[in-house]
Amino acid sequence: MLGKLKIPIIILLTAVISSALTLTLIEPKSMTTASSDEKFEKLFSTYETIKKEYYQDTNDTKLVDGAINGMVESLDDPYSDYMNQKEAKSFDDNISSSFEGIGAEVQEIDGKIMIVSPIKGSPAEKAGLKPRDKILKVDNKSIEGMSVNEAVMLIRGEKGSTVDLVVERDGSGQMDFTITRDTIPLETVYFEVEDNVGKIQITKFSESTAEELKKAVEELESKNVKGLVLDLRQNPGGLMDQAILMSDMFVPKGKTIMQVENKDGSKEVYKAENDPITDLPSVVVVDKGTASAAEIMAAALYQSARIPVVGEKTFGKGTIQTAQTFNDSSSVKFTIAKWLTPNGEWIHEKGFKPQVKASLPEFASLPYLDPKKGMKPGDSGEEVKTAQKMLNALGYKEMKEEGFFDESTKSQVKAFQADHKLSASGELNEETIIKLMEALQKMIAENDVQIEKAIEVLKK
């Protein structure tokens, strides 16, 4: 291998391809060398037979790509994949440049493309996509059985263009989304002061995240905050080296940050090399959208620095991937190792459990309502029931949540419209639905029980 490898702990290719990776160039073996091995006789015999006997002309590139795809798919590993030139370029472009898309990390599970986490401020988040939503269709085309890369190429697109998604959500069934693509911001660290506590939200682990975090901590210390809340919710991960650097800022020098278990069972132990950059008391907040590199940091800070973790059980991504780039610029990425917590736990498909449980209220998980699909008295269905739950959560309670748009529902809609200076028609038109979802999101943000619990723990 040439050069220094930066390993992406989460290689969950995204609808915006937002996980970064510095590719290590590996010279591919020539076909002559490979064909001399008996193991490849059947492969090359098939290739030659198709070239000579198939009734139509064949494309050499497609045949070779198909063979590589088949080998990678036989691994039955959602984190290993083959990328053609176009896909590899899209992936590589996002190491250091901005990109356009919907802003959602995805992975393939059992032939379905599943949302790991929407990115903060992205169109996907604003539209209401949630972790573990399964994408069934893109622009009315089924993507069942597609690789992550194939699905991503359909979902991505230029800023301002729209994409229609059909997703399946546990407990809610199928849901339709129309999302306008946008430029996904490069910033990965956001911070503010609340109640004399510094809140730092880390949205992913890219090349600049460690430096962004360091600056955020320094800025908050200059404001004389009494503690820090590190918000890793909805963070799908990214580069392992960033997770190590960021954990090193809080874990005492010499303490273990993580372990890597190789194929042969040998282990590499990564330890903190520096003293912590701050002595402020800290708390970490996680949820089911916290994955991979974000899980590394959460586990390291708890097990090696005794920093409490608050929230919900994390996603559970415990493998490491790298990539091999070929001379034609195509690339194959594959899993090379497991990563373990400082205590030697492998959290893959199990997740990391917070020490203090805290969940957002039920209304925070209500499905998205398509503003273009209005509702009026006499309508019924899950969309009506969802609207009723939203109104109820906002204090308009004089109706049953049974999914039927009756007179009491109409009355509550009119009350909501009057309070928000909308035309009081009593129908859930596009303007009203948009305002309804905005009001709910504002209430969720203003009543963030997980952050409140974290601050409570911090002050004990």
Side-chain angles (χ1 to χ4, degrees), residues 333-396:
K333 64 182 185 296
F334 49 95
T335 300
I336 57 172
K338 302 175 181 178
W339 71 262
L340 312 176
T341 70
N343 291 353
E345 299 172 39
W346 192 38
I347 65 164
H348 194 61
E349 298 182 348
K350 295 183 293 186
F352 181 74
K353 293 181 179 180
Q355 291 67 59
V356 181
K357 293 183 179 180
S359 298
L360 293 176
E362 183 182 353
F363 60 76
S365 298
L366 287 174
Y368 170 82
L369 290 176
D370 187 347
K372 295 180 181 179
K373 296 181 178 179
M375 289 169 267
K376 60 185 184 302
D379 289 347
S380 61
E382 286 300 316
E383 292 83 2
V384 174
K385 189 173 183 178
T386 296
Q388 290 170 332
K389 288 184 175 182
M390 288 181 177
L391 288 164
N392 195 319
L394 291 166
Y396 302 89

Side-chain angles (χ1 to χ4, degrees), residues 254-266:
K255 292 282 189 177
T256 298
I257 291 174
M258 65 175 293
Q259 303 180 51
V260 173
E261 183 176 325
N262 299 307
K263 183 177 182 179
D264 61 4
S266 62

Side-chain angles (χ1 to χ4, degrees), residues 291-303:
S292 198
E295 293 174 293
I296 288 176
M297 186 174 179
L301 267 56
Y302 175 67
Q303 293 184 358

